[in-house]
Amino acid sequence: MISSRKNKTLLIDKEAASALELVDDGLLAPVTKLMNEAESQEVLKTGLINGQSFPFPFILAPSGKKNEEIISSLQHGEEVTILCDGEEFATLIVDEIFQIDPNERVKHIYGTDDLSHPGVMATIKRIGKWALSGEYTIINKQENTNKKMIAEVKELIGAQHVTSLVMGANPLHRAHERLIRQTLESTDMLIIFLLKPYDSANLAYEIRKEALEFFINNFLPKNRVVIVGLENSYIFAGYNEIIIDAVVAKNYGCDRLTIGRNHAGLGMFYDCNSNKSIIDRVTGIDIEITVASEYVYCDECKTLVSKNTCPHGQHHQISYHADSILELLEAGILPPAVLIRKEISSFLLSKLFPNRFKNIEKLYYDTFPVKGLLEEHSEKDFYLELMKLYQTTSLT
């Protein structure tokens, strides 16, 4: 084998690298490799791989003038080194190179090539005109321990049914909590795939994970819930997202997938005198897909309810829009407890605004009743006590 130092090199980003790792870990099966041109055309024609739904060809076509020059010059059997962030990520033995249309590629992912669509704009910048296929080997491969962990927990509790939820929890709010509880009621074990996006319009993954762990450890039977981080690469985007979610969940050992009614990929259409969704097009994936209710807060019911069971109109209902709740937090505002649990919003604000106050101890003792003992208090403690004052009703 030729030394990687003498190989031609290709540059890819973390999104492409994560997709290659998913296949290498067996999490996109029946996809097991990069597809050649004939295999790609078959998927485009049928939407199937070995009788199982898969929405678009799995190919590697990195953008950039240098990448395209390198790919177009490669020969069958030649070894090429793939770099990610300047580090050697993988080596690939070239099987075939072929040209693709980037616009057609994004159409198959998003259902449109309209550049005003934020996903289309981001993805089309990443796609080149040349694709290559072949066997690849990831360098310094890190073991994916999640499969083993899930199998161990499943055996430990004797779980017959394993259900998955895919969520960003950006941030974790009351409707997320209700969805998690409702799902857990009808299954033995729940896997929450927590998305790890590549853009900055999100709370950091570790912060979201810690908030979710707090909720699980304090308010759920924690031995029945597992969190798995899921790189939210471009292959999960667009109207085919549910199909990819189902494929990954099945390969992690789940037999059920629950999705929210406002899931981005749940587009409805009318066919043969009945309403259909992308779920009706899923073929050959042995997993039960359930669409959960949409939850709202009703000021007449005075609680969190399903829109399916609340008799009051929208003018009585508060919907849970994560982006708006996040906007409040990013502005430094403590959201009402009806939107987000006070312990979680306090934690998130303390992370978003560390060392926000000049003298937190003075502010704490000047604002809240204390036991007379001098104690250290964190900014999280301060927000928790502040929320209690917000909820005091005798003067309102």
Side-chain angles (χ1 to χ4, degrees), residues 304-325:
L304 195 69
V305 294
S306 162
K307 290 189 76 171
N308 293 339
T309 60
C310 178
H312 309 110
Q314 289 186 355
H315 54 288
H316 286 291
Q317 297 170 347
I318 299 173
S319 296
Y320 287 80
H321 298 290
D323 54 348
S324 295
I325 297 173

Side-chain angles (χ1 to χ4, degrees), residues 176-299:
H176 288 140
E177 292 186 12
R178 178 60 62 87
L179 176 60
I180 292 170
R181 288 185 186 278
Q182 291 291 102
T183 303
L184 196 54
E185 282 186 1
S186 58
T187 192
D188 303 313
M189 178 178 168
L190 174 62
I191 300 174
I192 300 176
F193 292 106
L194 187 61
L195 297 175
K196 302 171 73 173
Y198 290 89
D199 57 61
S200 59
N202 295 274
L203 292 168
Y205 171 77
E206 292 302 330
I207 292 176
R208 289 182 287 115
K209 182 182 179 185
E210 190 171 342
L212 185 56
E213 287 174 337
F214 172 84
F215 172 64
I216 292 170
N217 291 334
N218 289 277
F219 301 101
L220 295 177
K222 59 184 179 183
N223 64 317
R224 294 172 53 205
V225 186
V226 173
I227 301 173
V228 174
L230 187 62
E231 302 281 352
N232 192 24
S233 68
Y234 71 99
I235 66 169
F236 291 94
Y239 71 114
N240 293 300
E241 179 182 347
I242 291 173
I243 295 177
I244 303 295
D245 288 347
V247 169
V248 172
K250 180 62 183 176
N251 285 311
Y252 262 118
C254 303
D255 61 333
R256 298 174 179 173
L257 169 66
T258 297
I259 60 174
R261 191 164 294 276
N262 60 350
H263 191 288
L266 192 62
M268 302 298 292
F269 60 92
Y270 196 69
D271 182 46
C272 298
N273 300 317
S274 63
N275 288 322
K276 302 286 185 180
S277 77
I278 191 68
I279 294 174
D280 298 288
R281 293 179 174 176
V282 176
T283 301
I285 305 175
D286 188 19
I287 191 168
E288 178 185 337
I289 304 176
T290 302
V291 182
S293 299
E294 180 181 355
Y295 299 106
V296 295
Y297 181 85
C298 174
D299 64 4

Side-chain angles (χ1 to χ4, degrees), residues 44 56-57 100-113 124 127:
L44 291 176
F56 42 75
I100 67 165
D101 182 341
N103 289 80
E104 287 299 314
R105 174 72 171 165
V106 296
K107 276 185 182 179
H108 290 118
I109 296 174
Y110 295 97
T112 179
D113 62 353
I124 204 165
I127 300 176

Side-chain angles (χ1 to χ4, degrees), residues 112-171:
T112 179
D113 62 353
D114 185 351
L115 294 178
S116 65
H117 185 293
V120 169
M121 174 62 78
T123 301
I124 204 165
K125 291 178 179 179
R126 307 177 56 259
I127 300 176
K129 297 178 181 179
W130 285 90
L132 75 163
S133 64
E135 296 285 338
Y136 64 90
T137 302
I138 296 177
I139 300 169
N140 298 323
K141 169 72 175 175
Q142 300 294 314
E143 181 185 4
N144 185 330
T145 59
N146 290 321
K147 266 190 172 182
K148 181 179 179 181
M149 174 187 64
I150 290 168
E152 289 175 349
V153 174
K154 185 177 179 179
E155 182 179 2
L156 181 65
I157 66 175
Q160 298 298 310
H161 294 290
V162 181
T163 302
S164 58
L165 277 172
V166 182
M167 62 172 54
N170 185 47

